[in-house]
Amino acid sequence: MTQTRVIQPVRQWQGTIVAPGDKSISHRSVMLAGLSERPVRLSNFLYAADCLSTVRCMRALGVKVEKDAEGVLTVSGNGLYGLKEPEDVLDAGNSGTTLRLLSGILGAQPFFSIITGDASLRQRPMGRVVKPLRMMGSQLAGRQDGRNIPMAIGPNPTLKGINYDLPVASAQVKSAILLAGLFADSPTTVSEPHRSRDHTERLLELFGVKVTREGTSVTVQPAQELEAPPAIDIAGDISSAAFWMVAASIVPGSEVTIENVGLNPTRTGILDVLEQMGADLTVLNRRRSGNEDIADILVRSAALKGCEIGAEIMPRLIDEIPILAVAAMFASGKTVISGAEELRVKETDRLHAVALEFGKMGAVIEEKEDGLVIEGGHSLQEATCFAHHDHRIAMSLAIAGSAAQGVTIEGADCVEISYPDFYEVLASFAK
């Protein structure tokens, strides 16, 4: 049964919150720790539905994963070549990261496996991942010639390294190829038109893998074993923090401090765009953990103005477009978003969902093939909107409603995918 949430208007936002663990890093940490011989303790792990899909899949592959009373996750693998053939079909749930990254690993194993997911994930395209993995020698067979799951992955203990040019920058596709490259017979290089998020490369380095970068190209060397760190303190997720950045920016009199935010430079496009729009952001207490930069961010309300967001910055903020659309609705002037066609193949067609659902609230949005044109400054009205089974749409609707006349969200429980505590946090520091 899907949940309906009624979001009330918020007079102002005041207080301090801690950003939940980064979803991308949580996924990758479990996978790499599961390919290591040494147990790894993961603190600030994100216990959300997507990341738990990865945990279940790694357990099914013979990896021991245990959560202690303090919420620390200990992952004990059997070495780089120690995964076991699963007894049943692997279920990635709604998680594209689980599906795509595990495909890179599974394609290098000497055993047979099948991976599937929920109804939404079964519609998401896999062709961009399957093509390079097949070039490396992986035996992948799925619906529509591998373009959709369920997908069967045949035994193949030997892969060859490749040089591959990605037509569209994608951290998930890049990561699948690099993880397969650990098992290859020679170095593997991936080149992108724009640099996408690099959590995989940073974690590979943390696990002792030789990684070299040149421009927008990255090369990984094959490995015999991983050199696991004893512990990783996972940075807070800037994509989750983005909702509170926008909330505090658009409601007058607000002041919010968000602690432990990951500031990986391939993810900080949200800060660049908000500052371009005139947001009042102060970065405090910079530090480093798990090969990632982190800091606290103080956000004060400000009068925002429209701006242009183009293809070059898109890989650094692709997940933040729905909440940036909310910022644009409360800004003066026009905001033009282009180069965002990747959003049409997320959990839902996010460009269409943003235009449709916020249009119900009175936002003036023109949907383009690769983006949106948003006319700011129009008052939003209370409305009943649908989340489209998409966590980022649901949370963006909640922030917009709280800053306006309220909103009723149908299918609101999909926030479990990335931010299970979202509504509780919203209620806790709304004043």
Side-chain angles (χ1 to χ4, degrees), residues 16-53:
T16 299
I17 64 169
V18 178
D22 189 279
K23 186 158 77 82
S24 296
I25 300 173
S26 293
H27 279 297
R28 290 157 172 81
S29 296
V30 170
M31 291 183 191
L32 288 174
L35 293 172
S36 305
E37 289 185 329
R38 179 181 188 176
V40 182
R41 288 169 51 84
L42 306 177
S43 56
N44 202 34
F45 179 82
L46 179 65
Y47 289 98
D50 268 13
C51 299
L52 293 176
S53 291

Side-chain angles (χ1 to χ4, degrees), residues 119-372:
S120 172
L121 194 61
R122 290 196 297 273
Q123 300 306 313
R124 295 176 68 178
M126 279 291 288
R128 288 184 301 164
V129 180
V130 167
K131 180 180 178 181
L133 293 181
R134 283 177 173 171
M135 290 172 60
M136 299 178 77
S138 294
Q139 304 299 313
L140 309 176
R143 293 188 302 119
Q144 301 184 39
D145 192 30
R147 291 193 294 274
N148 293 103
I149 59 172
M151 185 166 63
I153 305 172
N156 186 35
T158 304
L159 297 184
K160 61 181 180 182
I162 61 170
N163 295 322
Y164 191 74
D165 293 328
L166 282 177
V168 177
S170 168
Q172 291 185 0
V173 179
K174 175 180 65 174
S175 297
I177 300 169
L178 294 179
L179 290 172
L182 294 176
F183 303 90
D185 61 2
S186 61
T188 294
T189 299
V190 181
S191 301
E192 302 178 281
H194 305 291
R195 188 181 176 194
S196 65
R197 63 181 64 178
D198 67 351
H199 299 301
T200 298
E201 297 95 302
R202 289 171 179 262
L203 281 169
L204 285 171
E205 290 175 325
L206 193 63
F207 279 78
V209 177
K210 184 178 180 182
V211 178
T212 55
R213 301 173 180 83
E214 185 175 345
T216 59
S217 297
V218 58
T219 300
V220 64
Q221 300 291 330
Q224 293 302 312
E225 284 296 344
L226 301 184
E227 301 170 6
I232 300 174
D233 185 14
I234 295 171
D237 199 323
I238 194 170
S239 294
S240 296
F243 296 101
W244 312 123
M245 293 183 207
V246 171
S249 294
I250 63 178
V251 176
S254 296
E255 183 172 319
V256 171
T257 299
I258 313 164
E259 296 181 340
N260 197 46
V261 181
L263 292 186
N264 182 301
T266 63
R267 297 280 299 282
T268 52
I270 178 69
L271 300 182
D272 295 344
V273 171
L274 284 177
E275 288 179 345
Q276 183 183 350
M277 296 179 78
D280 185 349
L281 308 176
T282 305
V283 178
L284 308 168
N285 192 21
R286 289 181 181 268
R287 51 207 187 273
R288 195 166 177 82
S289 177
N291 208 22
E292 297 278 356
D293 297 320
I294 57 177
D296 306 328
I297 301 177
L298 172 63
V299 188
R300 297 184 179 93
S301 58
L304 303 184
K305 60 182 184 296
C307 69
E308 294 189 4
I309 307 171
E312 185 171 343
I313 198 173
M314 202 55 60
R316 297 177 53 225
L317 49 59
I318 190 69
D319 287 337
E320 288 75 68
I321 291 300
I323 191 59
L324 278 174
V326 175
M329 294 170 210
F330 286 84
S332 61
K334 180 188 296 185
T335 295
V336 179
I337 300 170
S338 59
E341 59 271 17
E342 179 81 4
L343 290 176
R344 295 206 181 274
V345 292
K346 289 291 188 177
E347 282 81 346
T348 187
D349 180 340
R350 283 184 179 160
L351 295 177
H352 180 66
V354 166
L356 176 65
E357 300 305 325
F358 289 104
K360 295 175 182 177
M361 300 176 70
V364 179
I365 304 176
E366 181 183 0
E367 180 182 348
K368 299 287 190 179
E369 183 177 347
D370 69 338
L372 301 165

